Amino acid sequence: MSLETFGDPSELYFARGTEVSEYRPLFTGDVVSDVTIPGIQEGGLAIVISHPCSMRGKNGVLNNTTLLAAVRQHESLNSKLWESGYFALTPLPMLDCANFYVGDFNTMSAAPTATIASKRLACLSAVGVNLLEQRLIWYMARIEVPTFQIQEAFAHLLEETDLCHEWCEVLCESGYSIAEAVTLFVGFIRKQSEGGRNLQDDLRDSQRRAAVRRACRSEAKLLAIRNSSA
């Protein structure tokens, strides 16, 4: 048994600190600050463990609670050591560009979503999310799943998150609130075509993703122009 590991710590992160955008939807692997996890900690850092689909309900609205694991400082360990040990932890090196942190799967519990959505310190990259999921699957089920298979399962979700991020930036600049922009995005990608498909379905097919991106970007620009002119 040998789990995968990181090379350059920066490859684990999509954004850190001031790079984190308020327009990016909450996603698996987001690290948040000052979070109370009932029965686990009063304040402190935490990492989102919930799957993106399980943390949202109708119209993409976040559920009342989200599954988190506590994040704490840890001694710095060579990346190779994570291949065959420390299975209850997921490494978060250079989270704040100074210290080594870990997410601790032994300290998972649900916390009120309203207390975490605006407190993000970092968002993991695709590499970071896949490594997190690989370790979590091993911790929960002792099944070794290669990260390329996890990427296949998460690719459409990461693409949807990127598109929603772009969409919200465009619409919010024209006067929409983030909540309004997200609702419009979800409605657009879930709208059924005459053939019974929708853009959200098409994101599962890598051949169709470029077309989905074009459609979303075109619609976002159109909605923004209309709102600015209203």
Side-chain angles (χ1 to χ4, degrees), residues 47-98:
I47 186 168
V48 175
I49 299 298
S50 290
H51 186 277
C53 296
S54 66
M55 69 175 74
R56 288 180 171 79
K58 187 177 180 181
N59 296 325
V61 177
L62 289 166
N63 294 331
N64 291 333
T65 60
T66 300
L67 183 64
L68 305 173
V71 169
R72 55 182 172 79
Q73 286 192 33
H74 193 276
E75 63 177 317
S76 180
L77 297 173
N78 184 285
S79 63
K80 295 291 289 183
L81 295 176
W82 295 94
E83 294 180 339
S84 57
Y86 303 94
F87 298 127
L89 308 175
T90 189
L92 296 167
M94 301 298 289
L95 177 62
D96 60 4
C97 298

Side-chain angles (χ1 to χ4, degrees), residues 73-221:
Q73 286 192 33
H74 193 276
E75 63 177 317
S76 180
L77 297 173
N78 184 285
S79 63
K80 295 291 289 183
L81 295 176
W82 295 94
E83 294 180 339
S84 57
Y86 303 94
F87 298 127
L89 308 175
T90 189
L92 296 167
M94 301 298 289
L95 177 62
D96 60 4
C97 298
N99 299 301
F100 198 105
Y101 290 85
V102 294
D104 189 345
F105 299 145
N106 287 322
T107 56
M108 289 192 290
S109 187
T113 305
T115 67
I116 68 175
S118 63
K119 299 178 179 180
R120 283 182 293 180
L121 293 178
C123 302
L124 296 188
S125 64
V127 171
V129 170
N130 295 340
L131 289 174
L132 165 66
E133 287 296 318
Q134 184 187 58
R135 299 189 73 81
L136 182 61
I137 292 168
W138 179 260
Y139 173 79
M140 298 294 291
R142 287 301 190 263
I143 299 172
E144 186 177 349
V145 181
T147 57
F148 78 86
Q149 292 184 358
I150 297 172
Q151 173 63 20
E152 291 173 356
F154 264 82
H156 68 287
L157 298 169
L158 289 161
E159 187 76 43
E160 183 177 327
T161 297
D162 288 344
L163 286 172
C164 187
H165 183 173
E166 291 181 21
W167 174 286
C168 288
E169 285 183 333
V170 172
L171 266 64
C172 291
E173 286 180 1
S174 73
Y176 285 100
S177 69
I178 294 177
E180 290 171 336
V182 170
T183 297
L184 287 168
F185 175 78
V186 172
F188 180 67
I189 66 169
R190 291 182 180 177
K191 183 178 179 179
Q192 295 290 326
S193 68
E194 292 183 1
R197 296 182 61 85
N198 59 39
L199 295 178
Q200 191 174 49
D201 292 333
D202 286 349
L203 284 174
R204 294 179 177 274
D205 184 346
S206 60
Q207 303 173 97
R208 300 175 184 268
R209 286 174 192 156
V212 176
R213 285 193 291 270
R214 289 194 298 270
C216 288
R217 289 165 181 167
S218 177
E219 181 71 7
K221 290 178 182 178

